[in-house]
Amino acid sequence: MKFADLGLSDELLKAVADAGYDAPTPIQAQAIPPVLMMKDIIGIAQTGTGKTASFVLPMIDILAHGRSRARMPRSLILEPTRELAAQVAENFEKYGKNHNLSMALLIGGVSMGDQIKALEKGVDVLIATPGRLMDLFERGRILMSGCELLVIDEADRMLDMGFIPDIEQICSKLPTTRQTMLFSATMPPPIKKLSDQFLNNPKSVEVSRPATANTSIDQSIIHVAPKAKRKLLYGILDNEGVDTAIIFCNRKTEVRDLCQQMRKDGFDAGQIHGDMDQSSRLAELDRFKSGEINILCASDVAARGLDIKGVSHVVNYDIPWHPDDYIHRIGRTGRAGATGVAITFVTNRDDEHVDSIQKLTGTKLPVRDSKSVKPEKKQGSKKPVPDKPKSDKRKKQPSDDQQISAKKRPEKTAKKDTKSEKQSPTQDRVDETDDGWNGPVPGFLDAKLDR
Ligand code: AMP
């Protein structure tokens, strides 16, 4: 199958070729033709499968004709998190570069004034998180009656984050004649109900679950006492050819503490969690993408759906509470044909979580002995560190004198979190700054069903 067979315009084909894509991914091959025929779609696919282009590309062609009016967006894409929304906007810019469509991004954490101005001018495509959209709607800044195209992306995450009532409300404000596309990695009953209620005779397209199909990820679990986790992590980072790694923790305080400690210990580490404002999250992500730092400590929340390529290792410093999150986390590595390593730390309280991951993925996770990990390389104080070997990702250690003066420098820390941490990211509705989970999953896998 070629892109040229899908019915897209020449301008789009050119943009796709410029993006360097040779062939459509299975979800694109299945979804684009019916979307162009104005059919409703349920896409069961995860991030990493190329699903964004499967709705963005046909939308651009559909919207190419027609004009936007003030405060009346012509199409709406709902995303669970700001980062995902920003990523979809980037996709629109990339694929829509030969078109003249206007776009606005409505996300929390950035000034409302500019967003309102953009809406006043009229937009063809509105990309929004439900919270900010409802806020502006209630202030009378948006009229939904001109919106003929709706995308609900990552619907199961929306459910986890308590956004379904907002989505129901938004759907009921849109014209009933609209075209609707719903994407979700899984189809729990409330999402099925949502699609029954708001989609019209949808065509279902599904690509297989990456965790079961993707054999390019070398997965293992290591039993470890909670207090020994950091030592074990350093052993892995020092000895196992780690180029870039995402270290997932379940709590944002843990992300913060671990990152801070790793920096003190000489690692080029950054962090991304729900307590950071939008611009710091994106700035940190840019530092990781550009290679300025090679380790990113992350909460599921902030990392959800981010397209970070070429991560050699994912370490689950904490085993995720939800098995779906495991699939999304490990999907950061081994993407688009590359191989990757995913290591999960398991304490003696985590058996239940291991069981549910194994049940969901249908595989038994190989257990590695913690002794198989060489101990961390001793840095700093006693022995001088030899020239930095390729796999040694720690910063050159300062001399003892430098260490002493560095200690005097106050550490730049995030504000102390006084709120108690949530036990589970799926409980209740959470604020957009504390939204959701994590991310993508490998791509370009077999298309399985075409119901
Ligand atoms: P997504 O699932 O939309 O997050 O896409 C995952 C990654 O796949 C993104 O980096 C896209 O740029 C890339 N991608 C999307 N479609 C294709 C394609 N047909 N060929 C190669 N890469 C693609």
Side-chain angles (χ1 to χ4, degrees):
M1 173 77 75
K2 294 198 210 94
F3 271 109
D5 301 331
L6 300 179
L8 297 167
S9 67
D10 290 346
E11 290 89 345
L12 267 182
L13 293 178
K14 198 165 171 309
V16 165
D18 289 348
Y21 304 161
D22 295 332
T25 66
I27 189 78
Q28 292 162 1
Q30 290 183 60
I32 291 174
V35 176
L36 285 173
M37 285 190 274
M38 315 300 287
K39 284 199 184 335
D40 283 5
I41 285 279
I42 296 177
I44 303 175
Q46 305 188 352
T47 321
T49 55
K51 80 170 156 65
T52 315
S54 77
F55 58 85
V56 170
L57 291 172
M59 277 179 79
I60 292 173
D61 266 350
I62 292 170
L63 295 168
H65 307 287
R67 263 185 34 167
S68 58
R69 286 190 284 163
R71 287 187 291 159
M72 292 178 76
R74 296 172 61 209
S75 65
L76 171 64
I77 301 174
L78 292 172
E79 293 289 338
T81 67
R82 303 158 178 191
E83 283 79 9
L84 270 172
Q87 231 163 254
V88 172
E90 271 174 29
N91 274 258
F92 249 101
E93 272 163 12
K94 179 161 69 174
Y95 306 134
K97 64 181 190 173
N98 301 323
H99 288 78
N100 203 10
L101 294 175
S102 55
M103 177 183 77
L105 190 57
L106 294 194
I107 52 179
V110 290
S111 133
M112 232 187 234
D114 290 347
Q115 297 176 349
I116 291 172
K117 267 190 222 151
L119 285 168
E120 288 294 338
K121 279 195 207 147
V123 292
D124 296 302
V125 184
L126 185 60
I127 305 167
T129 48
R132 179 56 64 100
L133 180 75
M134 286 309 290
D135 198 350
L136 285 166
F137 180 77
E138 276 154 18
R139 289 163 194 243
R141 299 293 187 169
I142 306 175
L143 296 170
M144 309 278 203
S145 50
C147 187
E148 292 289 351
L149 231 163
L150 170 69
V151 177
I152 305 165
D153 197 16
E154 307 263 337
D156 49 354
R157 280 298 132 185
M158 300 272 201
L159 172 69
D160 282 353
M161 293 164 65
F163 283 141
I164 297 300
D166 282 349
I167 291 176
E168 285 171 346
Q169 223 183 322
I170 293 164
C171 283
S172 63
K173 310 257 182 270
L174 265 58
T176 49
T177 51
R178 68 168 188 272
Q179 181 181 9
T180 309
M181 294 169 244
L182 179 145
F183 288 87
S184 195
T186 54
M187 265 292 162
I191 299 301
K192 175 87 183 53
K193 194 171 148 235
L194 186 79
S195 62
D196 289 346
Q197 199 179 347
F198 292 109
L199 274 72
N200 179 18
N201 193 19
K203 178 174 168 60
S204 285
V205 293
E206 180 171 346
V207 292
S208 60
R209 291 190 73 86
T212 50
N214 191 320
T215 50
S216 61
I217 304 174
D218 174 10
Q219 301 173 59
S220 60
I221 56 178
I222 305 184
H223 290 279
V224 58
K227 282 195 175 147
K229 280 185 179 182
R230 207 169 66 233
K231 249 184 171 352
L232 182 64
L233 175 67
Y234 288 2
I236 291 167
L237 296 176
D238 281 351
N239 298 299
E240 306 211 343
V242 176
D243 277 328
T244 44
I246 304 184
I247 319 293
F248 281 102
C249 305
N250 288 351
R251 293 185 169 86
K252 50 199 170 191
T253 44
E254 181 96 61
V255 172
R256 214 154 39 203
D257 294 349
L258 180 64
C259 176
Q260 227 170 58
Q261 190 57 51
M262 289 185 80
R263 283 182 190 153
K264 278 189 196 151
D265 293 334
F267 288 96
D268 290 326
Q271 59 183 321
I272 182 158
H273 58 74
D275 268 356
M276 293 160 66
D277 66 29
Q278 173 69 355
S279 56
S280 332
R281 279 151 89 163
L282 292 176
E284 202 71 340
L285 190 66
D286 277 349
R287 291 200 321 130
F288 187 65
K289 280 184 170 175
S290 70
E292 193 185 327
I293 52 174
N294 72 315
I295 292 164
L296 190 63
C297 303
S299 64
D300 289 310
V301 166
R304 174 179 172 76
L306 297 174
D307 177 33
I308 306 166
K309 288 202 186 79
V311 177
S312 71
H313 286 66
V314 164
V315 177
N316 290 319
Y317 198 78
D318 299 315
I319 193 166
W321 286 310
H322 300 286
D324 267 358
D325 285 343
Y326 175 81
I327 295 174
H328 295 301
R329 287 183 184 186
I330 69 161
R332 306 297 177 147
T333 184
R335 302 196 75 194
T339 52
V341 178
I343 302 172
T344 301
F345 293 176
V346 174
T347 70
N348 56 10
R349 281 179 302 210
D350 294 334
D351 290 350
E352 197 188 309
H353 298 308
V354 175
D355 282 352
S356 47
I357 289 169
Q358 297 192 143
K359 222 191 233 155
L360 181 72
T361 58
T363 50
K364 187 143 177 56
L365 293 171
V367 180
R368 264 184 78 180
D369 190 338
S370 61
K371 292 198 190 88
S372 70
V373 178
K374 285 196 201 139
E376 62 174 310
K377 289 178 186 157
K378 288 284 171 229
Q379 306 278 314
S381 54
K382 288 187 191 100
K383 281 185 210 154
V385 183
D387 277 347
K388 197 174 167 188
K390 215 168 174 244
S391 62
D392 183 359
K393 296 297 172 186
R394 294 206 201 188
K395 279 183 200 148
K396 200 160 171 266
Q397 291 299 302
S399 68
D400 286 354
D401 287 350
Q402 282 169 321
Q403 277 187 331
I404 293 163
S405 61
K407 271 184 197 146
K408 285 186 191 148
R409 235 178 295 132
E411 273 282 318
K412 207 176 153 203
T413 52
K415 255 199 293 173
K416 184 93 192 105
D417 181 19
T418 46
K419 279 183 278 173
S420 63
E421 291 285 333
K422 276 197 168 55
Q423 269 303 312
S424 155
T426 63
Q427 283 167 2
D428 303 328
R429 173 168 174 162
V430 284
D431 180 70
E432 267 180 45
T433 51
D434 193 19
D435 39 19
W437 122 31
N438 76 120
V441 167
F444 319 119
L445 307 160
D446 297 335
K448 253 189 3 194
L449 294 170
D450 189 7
R451 285 174 288 172

